Amino acid sequence: MKARRRPARHTRVRSLEILSISIALAFGVAPLDARAQDAAVQISIPAQPLGQALLQLGKQTSLQIFYAQELVNGLSAPAVSGNVTPEQALRQLLRGTRIEYSRHGNSVTLSRPASGDTAQLAPIRVQGRLDGTTEGTGSWRPTVTNTATRLSLSPRETPQTISVVTNQQMQDFGMTSVDDALRSVSGAVVSDRGNNGSFYYSRGFEMQSQYDGVPNPIGISNNNQNPQIENAFLDRVEVLQGAAGLLTGAGQPGGTINLVRKRPTDFFLASAEVLVASWDGRRVVGDISGPLLESGRIRGRLVAVADNTDSSVDYAYRHRRAAYGVVEADLTDTTTLEASVQYQKDTGRNDYGAPFAADGSDPGLSRSIFWGDAGQRTVKDYTLATLGLTQRLPGDWHVKGTFTHGKTNSNTFRDSYISGELDMTTGDGLRLNRLRSLAQDLSSNAVDVHATGPFQLFGRKHEAAFGLNGSSVRREYTGSGYVAPVPINVFTFNPRGFDDIPDGTPYFGDPKTTQYGAYGVGRFSLTDSLKFIAGMRVSNYKSENLLTGRTTSKENGVISPYAGLIYDLNSQYSVYVSYSDIFNPQTQQAVGGDTIKPVVGANYEAGIKGELLDRRLNVAAAVFRLEQTNLARRDESVPYDPSNACGGTCYIAADKVVSQGLDLSISGEIAPGWNVAVGYTLVDSKYASGADDGERYAPYLPRHNLRLSTTYKVPNTNWTLGGSLSVRSKIYRTDTSWTTGEPYTIRDGGLALVGLMARYQFTPKAELTMTVSNLFDRTYRANLENKYYSPWGEPRRFMANLRYQF
């Protein structure tokens, strides 16, 4: 295949084996004119491997550098410092390497001297970009994230625990949904509820979510509001653990899940995948990207998915149709407009889970039984539209504004769930509660406008970010009402033995939540080795019932501070301490009739992070203490009185929960071709006041979580082999019976799940990846919802995925 002409905005590539690595600007700055491109800047790059030196050059200047990874392997670069032009600095780094470069504007292409008449291109992949892009890198190591502070920092520079599931890791183990990706992170717990929508926890508390750093108020699949988000659209999943109020505003203190989507490429890129799996799983994915004009000033990408799968549970299924389209346009040399639409429709039959016996013991029922009405069907139709504008400014500053509008229509027909007290001797005691229909319409808006860039103070270079963001979400729902329950016997139960459902007493709801705030943060270079990050957010919040016009909670001017101190021990290790918090308004009323103070979740953290093996491997260890204060407690000094200002029972903000523990992680490449991701998390959560003082908090979440994944490219073969291990400690839930009011406890023991993968590379463009999960077919509960219905974990599952790159 002859060398193909690349878009005119880049120089033609003539090397024999070019993989394209884009070293983007740390702050997205493009030159204003030719003189600005060649202006001298202050550069400080220590002696180090050439690849790392080029990364730093791209970060400190406006150059975008393209090269093959093989081109720089084994080469070292001298130190470069002083007030020099970007091109002068590049020449110094390349001195003595016999590497040539060609330049067009601020784009630079590196190559060896040409030999031979005709060059061929190897498959082109984007690799190692300073915006954190992981697609095409083949790596499990994250490079840059701004989920914590809006500043573009490496994980080592971020004074909080953050985990990143890269595009390669998702491909290696067939992770098709965000839930799959999160299950590989030790610090995250997916409370699996099947198609009914999961909950997501970290450090004992729920988490928020974002798309590309912008609030996502509808959530991922929380509480049946959205389908499980499709992974084919994502470059990576970033998980920030601990309170994150700086960019979030109000929310839970577990942390933030940031879904970072794929972007258009400025060169042609296309792939197709066909997957087959257990239980008649069939999946097809197409992905095409590249310039839409010869100049490359307009770029686009389109991803489409068709995914049908049945379940190990009888009658349960999920069919998915999804698409994602995104366009970027360079309106000027310094202005970029982007627009995208993400669409997903999931149709299925929900499996809520299987019952426990009346005393909470496991009755030994088959995992394949569907405990519901076989006529049930749920349709979730989700659209997310995004519009963004980036303006690059002099001095490496840029301003970016993003607006998103989300819409979910969720309709459930013939819904049903189990309740009652199961007598395993007779099989009686349970009943099926049935609902004709439930319709939910959710709409959300979110906006973020921020500016980031460096500045000089006291002879040192610092960085800052400040901005405004906010969101609103409205949930309109109409239910036909539940009809009289139908008694069932577990030994004779037939999911198809039910007639259509008449309407019961209808119910309605129309709540709306709005919040917005302003934030600012700076990263100050106190010395060459000591960095201080300080920031603050001021937030306003309102929750209201649009049917009644009643405001259920409202807060103005709530301050959320952020602080972190990072000290570089040497060129590989840093230690840090940090503080962050988040608030969550409450609806309970105090004796005067006002709502009580918001709950505050404060996260204290200290740790050490490292970049080893020429920065191919990230390591981290942290201890944390998360205090949730101002929890509502009944005010015993005020007797119950329906006519009082509280409407009966008054409360005070007095109770407290403390969660503390340990996070350990390793991610990256420990040897050529050997990727690893290892994480261990210990979480000890307890009540620290009130009647439950000293008792365990949220025992349905494990105290111990271990996650290990690895792949190894076998030398001199076409095979890559790997495996995964997921271990958690025992869990339990204590509650009271819905029918008798008596307490009960349900349990699930400690669990270890093993997975395997193998990939065969037929050609540089075609590969087959095979995986098996739950290798030893362990039986376990994926989530302890209650004793009436708690879903089974997935049995052993096989999957094969054929992928071709054009």
Side-chain angles (χ1 to χ4, degrees), residues 638-686:
V638 181
Y640 176 82
D641 182 358
S643 65
N644 65 22
C646 307
T649 302
C650 294
Y651 293 85
I652 57 175
D655 278 344
K656 179 178 181 180
V657 171
V658 173
S659 178
Q660 51 192 1
L662 170 70
D663 273 301
L664 306 174
S665 66
I666 301 173
S667 62
E669 192 177 41
I670 60 175
W674 189 356
N675 282 321
V676 297
V678 183
Y680 167 74
T681 301
L682 164 66
V683 179
D684 184 19
S685 301
K686 293 182 179 180

Side-chain angles (χ1 to χ4, degrees), residues 373-389:
D373 182 345
Q376 190 270 339
R377 182 168 65 95
T378 295
V379 180
K380 299 175 188 175
D381 195 292
Y382 173 58
T383 303
L384 181 68
T386 303
L387 184 65
L389 184 69

Side-chain angles (χ1 to χ4, degrees), residues 9-11 22-25 28-34 36-38 57-58 61-66 86-87 90 102-109 266 330 333-334 392 396:
R9 60 181 280 176
H10 297 301
T11 307
S22 170
I23 310 227
L25 301 170
V29 180
L32 294 175
D33 53 37
Q37 292 176 12
D38 295 321
L57 179 62
T61 71
S62 61
L63 292 182
Q64 299 182 67
I65 308 172
F66 299 82
E87 191 163 351
L90 177 63
S102 58
R103 178 177 174 182
H104 182 77
N106 69 338
S107 296
V108 174
T109 301
D266 52 11
D330 295 332
D333 288 342
T334 61
R392 291 168 288 278
D396 283 358

Side-chain angles (χ1 to χ4, degrees), residues 594-728:
D594 294 330
T595 55
I596 60 177
K597 294 187 296 184
V599 174
V600 175
N603 188 81
Y604 305 86
E605 187 169 330
I608 182 170
K609 295 186 178 183
E611 296 172 327
L612 310 180
L613 305 178
D614 290 333
R615 299 187 178 180
R616 297 194 309 271
L617 187 71
N618 289 346
V619 297
V623 293
F624 64 86
R625 178 181 174 90
L626 205 167
E627 298 180 354
Q628 192 180 45
T629 57
N630 296 341
L631 293 166
R633 180 198 297 176
R634 180 173 178 175
D635 189 346
E636 301 293 347
S637 67
V638 181
Y640 176 82
D641 182 358
S643 65
N644 65 22
C646 307
T649 302
C650 294
Y651 293 85
I652 57 175
D655 278 344
K656 179 178 181 180
V657 171
V658 173
S659 178
Q660 51 192 1
L662 170 70
D663 273 301
L664 306 174
S665 66
I666 301 173
S667 62
E669 192 177 41
I670 60 175
W674 189 356
N675 282 321
V676 297
V678 183
Y680 167 74
T681 301
L682 164 66
V683 179
D684 184 19
S685 301
K686 293 182 179 180
Y687 291 95
S689 66
D692 297 321
D693 189 10
E695 295 295 320
R696 187 173 169 189
Y697 175 78
Y700 48 86
L701 304 176
R703 294 184 73 244
H704 302 274
N705 257 330
L706 172 68
R707 300 288 186 269
L708 185 153
S709 301
T710 184
T711 61
Y712 181 63
K713 175 68 173 66
V714 182
N716 303 316
T717 75
N718 294 332
W719 286 98
T720 298
L721 305 177
S724 64
L725 175 66
S726 174
V727 180
R728 66 153 171 83

Side-chain angles (χ1 to χ4, degrees), residues 373 377 410-417 433-440 475-484 500-509:
D373 182 345
R377 182 168 65 95
S410 175
N411 293 281
T412 302
F413 307 94
R414 292 180 61 165
D415 195 28
S416 61
Y417 68 90
N433 302 271
R434 305 170 71 214
L435 174 79
R436 182 179 178 85
S437 65
L438 172 62
Q440 301 182 89
R475 176 174 171 256
E476 302 174 81
Y477 61 89
T478 302
S480 64
Y482 283 91
V483 298
D500 200 5
I501 306 172
D503 286 336
T505 303
Y507 61 94
F508 312 90

Side-chain angles (χ1 to χ4, degrees), residues 414-619:
R414 292 180 61 165
D415 195 28
S416 61
Y417 68 90
I418 294 287
S419 65
E421 308 297 319
L422 173 59
D423 182 345
M424 280 306 298
T425 303
T426 63
D428 292 329
L430 296 181
R431 56 188 186 180
L432 192 67
N433 302 271
R434 305 170 71 214
L435 174 79
R436 182 179 178 85
S437 65
L438 172 62
Q440 301 182 89
D441 292 328
L442 293 100
S443 60
S444 70
N445 295 302
V447 64
D448 181 274
V449 180
H450 67 270
T452 64
F455 63 96
Q456 294 286 331
L457 185 65
F458 302 124
R460 290 189 172 276
K461 185 179 179 180
H462 315 280
E463 300 162 82
F466 54 89
L468 305 168
N469 69 10
S471 66
S472 67
V473 59
R474 179 179 179 181
R475 176 174 171 256
E476 302 174 81
Y477 61 89
T478 302
S480 64
Y482 283 91
V483 298
V486 179
I488 65 170
N489 183 285
V490 297
F491 300 135
T492 61
F493 178 69
N494 178 15
R496 292 193 177 276
F498 299 96
D499 297 327
D500 200 5
I501 306 172
D503 286 336
T505 303
Y507 61 94
F508 312 90
D510 193 1
K512 181 180 180 181
T513 299
T514 304
Q515 64 166 313
Y516 59 92
Y519 59 88
V521 61
R523 180 175 182 259
F524 302 94
S525 180
L526 304 182
T527 71
D528 289 344
S529 301
L530 185 63
K531 306 296 188 295
F532 177 56
I533 298 178
M536 183 180 72
R537 179 189 180 90
V538 181
S539 302
N540 295 326
Y541 177 97
K542 183 180 181 180
S543 178
E544 55 190 323
N545 186 327
L546 298 183
L547 287 181
T548 64
R550 177 174 175 264
T551 297
T552 53
S553 59
K554 184 177 182 179
E555 300 292 339
N556 291 318
V558 180
I559 295 177
S560 300
Y562 185 97
L565 195 64
I566 307 100
Y567 181 74
D568 293 338
L569 298 175
N570 51 39
S571 61
Q572 291 185 312
Y573 290 99
S574 302
V575 293
Y576 71 91
V577 293
S578 67
Y579 171 87
S580 59
D581 70 22
I582 194 168
F583 75 99
N584 196 26
Q586 304 192 79
T587 59
Q588 294 89 343
Q589 294 174 298
V591 64
D594 294 330
T595 55
I596 60 177
K597 294 187 296 184
V599 174
V600 175
N603 188 81
Y604 305 86
E605 187 169 330
I608 182 170
K609 295 186 178 183
E611 296 172 327
L612 310 180
L613 305 178
D614 290 333
R615 299 187 178 180
R616 297 194 309 271
L617 187 71
N618 289 346
V619 297

Side-chain angles (χ1 to χ4, degrees), residues 173-174 176 180 275-279 281-282 307-310 318 756 771-775 777 794-799:
F173 286 94
T176 59
D180 292 337
L275 179 150
V276 293
S278 301
W279 313 302
R282 293 154 294 159
D307 187 341
N308 290 355
T309 183
D310 290 341
R318 192 259 299 138
L756 296 176
T771 64
V772 55
S773 57
N774 194 1
L775 177 65
D777 201 22
E794 192 174 67
R796 183 190 297 117
R797 182 172 185 252
F798 297 94
M799 184 172 64

